[in-house]
Amino acid sequence: MVKVDRFFASTVQPYVSRTASAHGSWVQRLSHFMLHILLLAMIAATSAQAQTARELFQQQRQMQRQERFNRLQEQRRQTLHGHEFGAGSDGVRMSPASGTRCQPAIKIRLQTNKQSFFANNQRELVALWSQIVGYIQQACPEVQDIEIQGVGQTITVYSGRASAAQGWTISHDRTPLQIAIEDLEKQRATFENTQSLDAVLKKHERAFGGGDTPDARALKAKIDERKFALADEKLSSFAAEVEKVPETIEGYNSLERLGSKLYQSLYFSARDKITKLEEIRESRRRAIGIKLLEDFRGTLATAPKGWRDAAATVDLANRLQGTWGSKIAELGPLVSQTIADVKAQVQAESPTFLHTIQNYTVDWDSLSKLRNDLTKVRQDAKTVDALSAYVAPLEERQKMILAELQQIHLAEVEQVGSEIGDLEAIIGYADTLAGKFTAAGDTHAAGNLKEAIARRVNELVGAGYAQFEGEIEQLPVTMESRAELLEAASDYEELEVEVPAFGRYRELAQLKAEEIGEGFCRDSAKQFGSDEHLRKTILISEEAIPMGRFVCDIAAVGNSLVKDDSTWTWITGLIKSEVGVTFEHRDGERTYVALAPSSDSKHQGALLGSSSQPEGSSSRSLTEAEWLDFARDMVRPPSTGLPDGEGRTDCDNHAADRQDPKKLGAGTEFDSEKLDFRMLERGLEACIAAVEQRPDDPRQKYQLGRLLWTAGDHEQAAPFVSGSADAGYPAALNLRATMLLTSGTDKDAFIDAYLLYMQAANEGYQPAAVAARELNPDGIEIYKELPPPTEADVLSTLPGETCTEVFGVRSCVRFTGATVKDCIQMSATDFSCTWRPHADCGTSANDFANALFKMACSQTEDAFSTFRKLASGWQKLD
């Protein structure tokens, strides 16, 4: 009814309204009203018919749904559903494959997390099978054949079947063991590498219950069978290789080594096959042995049997017996006969041998030959006892030749050399002969020879004394001669231990040195000019010595001391009881010194310096310690520059830098405000001598340069400091940096000095670290400014030409230039630059593609890269 009302409201009523508006008469309105009634009746009839049809349709739909439900219920009653057997992780779920309906032949899936359920003779599966079949028969009585799929976790590991005709006994189609065997057959194992076979076994053991299971044992047997087969193949190839071994001694010996690796492999993989390996080797060994036996028979028959070869022949026979005697019975008698023949031959040669050695000439070559023969005979007698009879004659003949050689050389020694100048050659000759006798084992003869040489040397030394005495008399009376004589006396004292005659030389040298010294003392005392003051004592150390001795000691080192007789000195002496003297150093520098009596009760009356006045300078007072130091300088000999036993020179003692980590001396500091020139000069003299002796020693050069720099002679100091710094000497690097900051004119002097300070500090010179912090307290990176890379530099870092080929089309890019727009120096060697490359490009494709490629190549964009300056050029880092 609702639909009729909607139809009326939407269709009829508007129509009537439109009509009424168009025709205004009542007749017309009436006719149209009647038409409205008629239409309503027709619509009502149509609506009733539709209602009846709808009800019929709904009844049919209800019947269809019921029929479908009935059919589904019937189908459900004929479908096999899944079921759980057991519980927990070891439970087994049975499910039909793909929703199998009940029918005579079905397929089921048995799934469990316990993979061993399907392995090891399927005992667990068979034990549960009756329950599974019972469930299936109850659900589907019509089932006659069942196909089984076994799934362990997510992997199919089993397949089988069962049928009612066979009493539901399971027939196994594919078990885990069979799967493993199939996997085993796929492995391409070799005898040398059976790891893949073992991997199959380990995989099976992990999945199906370990190694002590029926399946694991069966699989292990299959693997052993496979390994045995591989071993048989290897043994077959080994047998072929053994057959190629030559029938020689070398071939026989090689059999011992041949197959050693194979033996080890068989021991670990197929131990039962080792016997076969030994049989193969032994068979070939016997074959070669038979052949060698005939060769040995000929060899032994023709082997030399004289005394020199006797041991070698017997040793060969014994080796053959030891190797083959137990295997070849005929070899034993052959070896015994050979040994007997050798002994007989040695005994037969004895007279000839004795005659031969008696005819050896008496010389060192014959003695050497006898020694070699004796060594050989003693050694060979251990093998051939008949040779023992040769030992005594050889020893006796050796003693005789040694005795005769001793007599010959002793006679020669009596005549060797004619003057003292031949001593070195005589002693060398004697040492050589003594060495020969010692090597020959005759130390007694060597001793006799040395005694004879000593007598001869003593004789020649004594004969040359007169000449030596004359040479001594001709020496000039100088302190240099005195030093040479004292040095010679020291040398003669050492020689005197071996050659007593040198004692006279020593005594004469010492006596002449004393004479020269006394003469100098007399001359220096005379030069001093006052006998009265020479008798006084002077304090120069812990004790006071006579002034005359002090004057003499000063003259002995090339200096001089004279009494000052000026009027002013005489007046001062009267007033202050002082003695004025002038000290002149060997370098010409003069210093006036006032000597006054000591007030110390221990050295009452002894003179000591009270003041000093270098020539051209003002006078200054001296403390006792300063005087003693000055006095020691007065008698100090010139520095030789040579190091002592610990490697220290006078330069190390007087000029070492206390901060120097490589110094050898204690170190000396020089106060620039109150400079001790005497100490400075002492150090300069020592260091000049040291550098002259060792011009390449960087320590000595640094110490000399340091003294010159301290003395203000910067120009002279520079080469010594630079030379030491070039050798990497830390203290010299520090001083060079200081020199750069003080006198450098280079705009990079600050940077160079800072880098030198850092290098010296890294080498352990601590003052350099302090100086570096003062120069750069914030620790910023400091480096020299370098010119940035040019366009040519950038181009040099690019590849010349790069080509690629794709599908036969070759394309190349060749860099022709570069435009450098802007560079910023980032470190001492690195620049960050904005640049643009220029390139020439080409391709082997058609003209159109080549034109496009060239156009793209010409439209390059700016690049940003870092370039590093190296000694060999520039390098592009990115």
Side-chain angles (χ1 to χ4, degrees):
M1 194 62 188
V2 174
K3 292 183 177 180
V4 173
D5 292 341
R6 287 203 298 267
F7 176 76
F8 177 78
S10 62
T11 303
V12 178
Q13 189 175 15
Y15 173 75
V16 173
S17 298
R18 288 196 303 273
T19 303
S21 65
H23 307 284
S25 65
W26 67 269
V27 177
Q28 291 174 335
R29 288 196 297 271
L30 179 62
S31 61
H32 280 285
F33 178 73
M34 292 301 293
L35 179 59
H36 173 65
I37 295 300
L38 179 60
L39 287 172
L40 288 175
M42 290 173 62
I43 289 169
T46 303
S47 177
Q49 291 176 358
Q51 179 67 26
T52 303
R54 187 180 295 109
E55 291 175 353
L56 289 173
F57 176 73
Q58 289 178 351
Q59 291 175 1
Q60 289 177 355
R61 288 287 300 274
Q62 183 66 29
M63 290 175 62
Q64 289 175 354
R65 280 197 298 271
Q66 185 64 40
E67 289 177 359
R68 186 177 178 186
F69 177 76
N70 293 338
R71 285 196 303 272
L72 289 174
Q73 286 291 95
E74 181 64 23
Q75 289 176 0
R76 185 170 182 81
R77 285 193 298 269
Q78 296 179 354
T79 301
L80 181 63
H81 300 288
H83 185 72
E84 294 285 346
F85 296 90
S89 60
D90 292 342
V92 178
R93 175 171 178 78
M94 186 280 294
S95 60
S98 303
T100 304
R101 296 177 60 190
C102 289
Q103 52 188 341
I106 65 172
K107 182 177 181 180
I108 65 172
R109 179 184 293 109
L110 300 179
Q111 187 168 5
T112 177
N113 289 328
K114 184 180 179 183
Q115 291 184 327
S116 60
F117 175 81
F118 299 102
N120 304 314
N121 300 326
Q122 294 71 49
R123 291 175 297 186
E124 295 183 53
L125 173 60
V126 172
L128 189 63
W129 179 243
S130 60
Q131 297 181 39
I132 298 172
V133 170
Y135 173 79
I136 293 174
Q137 285 181 324
Q138 184 179 3
C140 299
E142 66 271 32
V143 171
Q144 296 296 314
D145 293 290
I146 302 174
E147 184 179 349
I148 309 165
Q149 178 189 10
V151 179
Q153 296 179 357
T154 60
I155 304 171
T156 299
V157 297
Y158 172 83
S159 63
R161 62 187 67 254
S163 63
Q166 299 296 326
W168 296 114
T169 301
I170 299 178
S171 174
H172 310 297
D173 294 338
R174 200 160 182 262
T175 66
L177 177 60
Q178 292 172 327
I179 294 173
I181 292 175
E182 292 172 3
D183 189 13
L184 194 66
E185 292 173 350
K186 295 176 184 178
Q187 304 305 317
R188 296 183 177 180
T190 63
F191 175 75
E192 289 78 10
N193 186 2
T194 59
Q195 293 179 352
S196 60
L197 304 181
D198 296 330
V200 172
L201 177 61
K202 290 180 180 178
K203 176 182 176 184
H204 183 85
E205 290 175 349
R206 284 195 301 268
F208 298 103
D212 192 19
T213 63
D215 277 11
R217 289 192 290 272
L219 186 59
K220 176 77 167 54
K222 281 287 185 182
I223 292 175
D224 289 344
E225 182 181 336
R226 178 78 176 275
K227 289 182 178 179
F228 285 170
L230 292 172
D232 287 338
E233 293 177 5
K234 191 67 177 179
L235 285 171
S236 297
S237 62
F238 176 71
E241 182 182 0
V242 167
E243 286 299 320
K244 297 178 182 178
V245 173
E247 295 178 336
T248 61
I249 294 177
E250 291 76 13
Y252 172 76
N253 291 334
S254 69
L255 283 174
E256 298 299 326
R257 300 185 300 273
L258 195 63
S260 58
K261 292 184 178 179
L262 178 58
Y263 181 93
Q264 295 176 1
S265 300
L266 289 173
Y267 183 83
F268 290 106
S269 60
R271 196 170 299 180
D272 294 344
K273 298 294 182 179
I274 291 179
T275 302
K276 179 65 175 176
L277 171 68
E278 293 295 347
E279 290 176 355
I280 293 172
R281 285 201 299 197
E282 186 60 28
S283 175
R284 184 57 178 164
R285 190 182 291 116
R286 284 196 300 269
I288 296 177
I290 294 173
K291 172 65 171 61
L292 289 179
L293 179 61
E294 295 303 319
D295 295 340
F296 292 155
R297 189 185 302 277
T299 300
L300 292 176
T302 58
K305 299 176 178 59
W307 73 269
R308 289 189 180 277
D309 305 302
T313 301
V314 171
D315 186 60
L316 172 63
N318 287 331
R319 285 202 310 273
L320 292 176
Q321 177 64 25
T323 304
W324 293 97
S326 60
K327 301 177 182 179
I328 305 176
E330 295 84 354
L331 185 60
L334 176 63
V335 168
S336 298
Q337 184 59 49
T338 301
I339 293 174
D341 292 345
V342 168
K343 290 182 178 180
Q345 183 66 27
V346 168
Q347 293 170 352
E349 285 186 353
S350 179
T352 304
F353 172 75
L354 294 175
H355 178 73
T356 300
I357 63 175
Q358 291 300 325
N359 288 331
Y360 278 2
T361 56
V362 179
D363 54 37
W364 288 104
D365 290 338
S366 297
L367 186 63
S368 176
K369 188 176 180 181
L370 277 173
R371 274 205 314 272
N372 293 336
D373 288 347
L374 182 57
T375 300
K376 179 176 176 55
V377 166
R378 284 172 174 165
Q379 182 65 32
D380 291 354
K382 300 175 183 178
T383 303
V384 183
D385 56 3
L387 286 172
S388 300
Y390 284 49
V391 174
L394 281 170
E395 291 176 341
E396 184 63 28
R397 184 54 180 159
Q398 179 177 269
K399 290 178 181 178
M400 291 176 60
I401 290 181
L402 275 172
E404 293 183 30
L405 283 174
Q406 179 182 347
Q407 296 301 320
I408 292 173
H409 291 307
L410 285 175
E412 290 176 350
V413 165
E414 296 295 334
Q415 304 298 323
V416 67
S418 59
E419 57 185 19
I420 194 171
D422 299 330
L423 289 183
E424 186 174 353
I426 295 170
I427 294 173
Y429 173 70
D431 287 342
T432 301
L433 289 179
K436 288 184 176 181
F437 279 109
T438 301
D442 194 344
T443 56
H444 179 71
N448 291 339
L449 187 64
K450 288 182 178 180
E451 291 177 1
I453 286 295
R455 288 194 299 272
R456 180 58 178 166
V457 167
N458 206 48
E459 178 183 338
L460 291 177
V461 168
Y465 179 76
Q467 179 182 351
F468 176 71
E469 189 176 22
E471 293 173 353
I472 289 292
E473 293 299 328
Q474 299 299 321
L475 284 175
V477 182
T478 63
M479 293 307 295
E480 288 77 9
S481 298
R482 179 176 177 272
E484 291 177 3
L485 286 169
L486 291 175
E487 183 178 356
S490 177
D491 293 338
Y492 290 139
E493 186 175 10
E494 293 181 4
L495 293 172
E496 186 180 356
V497 177
E498 298 292 336
V499 184
F502 276 117
R504 295 180 65 196
Y505 286 72
R506 173 185 56 77
E507 293 172 354
L508 181 59
Q510 290 175 340
L511 181 62
K512 187 61 177 178
E514 290 174 2
E515 289 179 2
I516 293 176
E518 290 174 358
F520 257 90
C521 285
R522 287 192 298 272
D523 293 343
S524 60
K526 183 177 180 181
Q527 184 181 6
F528 183 74
S530 174
D531 294 339
E532 176 187 356
H533 290 96
L534 286 175
R535 290 191 290 271
K536 294 180 178 291
T537 59
I538 186 167
L539 187 67
I540 64 170
S541 61
E542 296 296 328
E543 62 177 351
I545 65 172
M547 176 66 81
R549 176 181 166 188
F550 182 53
V551 171
C552 182
D553 291 343
I554 290 175
V557 296
N559 302 326
S560 66
L561 187 70
V562 297
K563 184 178 178 298
D564 191 334
D565 292 327
S566 65
T567 303
W568 175 250
T569 302
W570 179 78
I571 296 173
T572 304
L574 289 176
I575 297 173
K576 297 184 178 180
S577 300
E578 291 181 346
V579 177
V581 295
T582 301
F583 170 70
E584 183 174 353
H585 194 270
R586 51 185 166 269
D587 60 6
E589 181 182 349
R590 293 186 177 189
T591 303
Y592 170 80
V593 181
L595 303 176
S598 173
S599 59
D600 186 357
S601 60
K602 182 179 178 180
H603 304 292
Q604 188 71 33
L607 298 175
L608 75 161
S610 60
S611 65
S612 69
Q613 181 179 359
E615 190 174 34
S617 301
S618 59
S619 175
R620 71 182 187 90
S621 299
L622 295 176
T623 65
E624 183 176 336
E626 289 174 334
W627 158 249
L628 294 177
D629 187 45
F630 183 70
R632 283 191 291 269
D633 275 350
M634 296 168 77
V635 296
R636 179 176 287 108
S639 178
T640 63
L642 297 174
D644 59 16
E646 296 180 357
R648 284 195 303 266
T649 64
D650 287 342
C651 181
D652 292 314
N653 294 327
H654 299 310
D657 182 353
R658 289 181 182 175
Q659 303 293 334
D660 184 1
K662 296 187 176 183
K663 68 180 183 299
L664 293 185
T668 303
E669 292 296 335
F670 294 97
D671 187 350
S672 58
E673 296 181 358
K674 189 179 180 181
L675 191 61
D676 187 336
F677 287 99
R678 189 176 70 257
M679 185 169 63
L680 184 65
E681 290 172 0
R682 182 194 309 162
L684 282 172
E685 179 186 355
C687 290
I688 291 171
V691 171
E692 288 176 349
Q693 289 290 338
R694 307 171 74 177
D696 296 328
D697 188 333
R699 186 178 70 256
Q700 308 299 336
K701 287 197 289 187
Y702 161 67
Q703 290 170 169
L704 175 57
R706 173 173 173 258
L707 291 178
L708 291 170
W709 177 264
T710 303
D713 195 347
H714 295 178
E715 184 176 351
Q716 291 291 333
F720 296 107
V721 175
S722 297
S724 181
D726 290 341
Y729 199 76
L733 293 169
N734 176 80
L735 183 53
R736 177 190 265 182
T738 302
M739 295 169 67
L740 280 174
L741 292 177
T742 304
S743 58
T745 58
D746 185 2
K747 64 182 181 67
D748 291 323
F750 171 83
I751 298 174
D752 290 335
Y754 174 73
L755 296 177
L756 286 170
Y757 279 138
M758 290 300 297
Q759 184 180 353
N762 292 335
E763 293 293 331
Y765 192 77
Q766 292 305 316
V770 176
R773 283 195 297 271
E774 291 177 354
L775 287 182
N776 185 14
D778 297 326
I780 62 175
E781 183 179 5
I782 295 178
Y783 49 81
K784 293 183 181 179
E785 292 185 3
L786 296 176
T790 64
E791 295 181 356
D793 294 333
V794 172
L795 181 60
S796 69
T797 67
L798 304 177
E801 184 177 63
T802 304
C803 297
T804 58
E805 186 170 339
V806 180
F807 300 120
V809 178
R810 182 177 176 84
S811 302
C812 295
V813 177
R814 181 172 61 85
F815 290 99
T816 59
T819 299
V820 180
K821 295 187 175 182
D822 186 29
C823 287
I824 300 175
Q825 188 171 359
M826 306 301 294
S827 70
T829 57
D830 294 355
F831 286 83
S832 179
C833 299
T834 303
W835 64 289
R836 175 174 292 183
H838 305 301
D840 184 17
C841 306
T843 178
S844 62
N846 54 42
D847 294 341
F848 178 71
N850 194 39
L852 287 178
F853 190 32
K854 286 182 175 292
M855 182 176 65
C857 189
S858 64
Q859 297 176 357
T860 56
E861 298 181 351
D862 287 349
F864 303 93
S865 303
T866 299
F867 297 91
R868 174 166 293 171
K869 183 68 172 71
L870 305 175
S872 58
W874 288 85
Q875 177 187 10
K876 184 173 173 289
L877 300 183
D878 49 19

